[in-house]
Amino acid sequence: MSDASPTVLFEHPLNEKMRTWLRIEFLLQQLHGQRALSETAIALTFFRTVADLLDVLERGEVRTELLKELERQQQKLLQWAELPGVDISVVNQLRSQLKGCASALMSAPRMGQALREDRLISLVRQRLSIPGGCCSFDLPTLHMWMHVAQHERDADVADWLQTLEPLNQALTIVLDLVRQAGPFRNQISLNGFFQDNAEGADLLRLRINLAYQLYPQISGHKTRYAIRFLPLDSENGTVPERLTFELACC
């Protein structure tokens, strides 16, 4: 695949733990990307994202799983440090970052608790499931908040996001290390189908040439996976008999 060709990156989790982590990362990225709540429509998107994040955090032992992974990554770094030619300073720096993230995560309050207890977030969250339920007559508190000075709203948002920082930092370094664990390799699918083993892997990453206008439909778990490539235009699109793509099994 030519390096000059624009590609699309797809990621697919191979277990429930990674599925949850990718969803949390996706939601945190949205929150940080829409933090300037200058209009009601933007604010409601922000609060919906907060509500989604709180729902995800309530479903599992996210803190416990992240702490286990931080410890596992530290053990891997210790093994790497024994290999010849390894830059020990880089290994020690990463270990220090992992320890710092684990310490901050362990000492932090219950994840999302500050957001659950915030009065404005709680009021908006209760109305989000009602179609049009966030009108000014339904939520006068939100309507008033949208009319305070922008810098005051920015300060509130900064405070809310700060409560998520231990989670954000731990998840960022864990996912970075997972993604770096598997190099991309060129693969070929025949008639739009590819399958292989994924022993012990957590994540599949695929790069597909944008010109093909294809997307992958992936099924798999921690030992085996299958990929079927489908055209974006389901009526007129085609799939090459031999499709070259890049795949990393992390």
Side-chain angles (χ1 to χ4, degrees):
M1 187 180 298
S2 171
D3 292 337
S5 302
T7 59
V8 182
L9 175 66
F10 294 90
E11 294 187 325
H12 185 82
L14 293 173
N15 52 54
E16 192 59 34
K17 172 189 69 178
M18 183 58 64
R19 190 184 310 276
T20 298
W21 289 352
L22 291 180
R23 286 174 175 163
I24 293 174
E25 179 191 48
F26 177 64
L27 293 169
L28 288 172
Q29 288 173 346
Q30 291 181 65
L31 290 178
H32 283 274
Q34 59 196 21
R35 58 190 301 163
L37 310 186
S38 56
E39 301 175 6
T40 300
I42 300 173
L44 287 176
T45 300
F46 179 89
F47 287 122
R48 284 192 180 94
T49 306
V50 169
D52 286 348
L53 178 60
L54 292 178
D55 287 344
V56 173
L57 292 177
E58 287 170 357
R59 291 173 189 163
E61 296 295 327
V62 177
R63 189 207 306 260
T64 302
E65 291 294 340
L66 277 174
L67 287 172
K68 288 180 181 178
E69 185 64 23
L70 289 167
E71 176 61 28
R72 188 175 77 90
Q73 292 292 344
Q74 290 187 59
Q75 295 303 317
K76 285 178 63 176
L77 287 172
L78 284 175
Q79 295 173 8
W80 291 347
E82 298 175 358
L83 299 176
V86 170
D87 190 332
I88 297 298
S89 63
V90 173
V91 171
N92 289 337
Q93 182 181 10
L94 274 173
R95 286 190 63 207
S96 178
Q97 291 178 7
L98 289 168
K99 287 181 180 179
C101 286
S103 177
L105 190 62
M106 193 176 299
S107 61
R110 182 188 175 199
M111 284 187 293
Q113 189 61 30
L115 301 182
R116 293 184 191 92
E117 295 175 351
D118 185 89
R119 181 171 177 268
L120 180 59
I121 291 176
S122 180
L123 287 171
V124 177
R125 193 181 178 196
Q126 292 171 16
R127 305 294 302 183
L128 286 173
S129 62
I130 303 172
C134 295
C135 290
S136 60
F137 59 86
D138 286 308
L139 277 176
T141 306
L142 174 63
H143 188 63
M144 185 65 224
W145 187 75
M146 290 304 301
H147 283 79
V148 304
Q150 180 68 50
H151 70 87
E152 293 184 33
R153 292 200 300 277
D154 290 345
D156 286 340
V157 172
D159 288 342
W160 292 332
L161 294 180
Q162 185 59 38
T163 67
L164 297 170
E165 202 52 28
L167 168 64
N168 188 34
Q169 291 181 359
L171 187 63
T172 296
I173 192 170
V174 161
L175 289 179
D176 281 349
L177 290 172
V178 169
R179 286 167 173 137
Q180 293 171 21
F184 280 100
R185 294 186 173 90
N186 286 333
Q187 303 288 358
I188 296 176
S189 77
L190 300 178
N191 297 314
F193 185 75
F194 181 87
Q195 64 180 351
D196 202 354
N197 296 321
E199 191 66 44
D202 293 309
L203 179 69
L204 290 181
R205 310 183 76 210
L206 293 81
R207 283 198 190 119
I208 306 172
N209 193 314
L210 180 60
Y212 290 127
Q213 292 289 288
L214 300 173
Y215 64 92
Q217 188 177 74
I218 304 172
S219 59
H221 46 80
K222 62 182 180 180
T223 59
R224 192 162 182 82
Y225 62 89
I227 306 170
R228 185 168 296 281
F229 293 95
L230 301 173
L232 184 61
D233 184 346
S234 58
E235 294 184 2
N236 302 310
T238 59
V239 180
E241 289 187 12
R242 294 174 63 86
L243 170 68
T244 300
F245 65 101
E246 291 179 290
L247 177 67
C249 193
C250 306

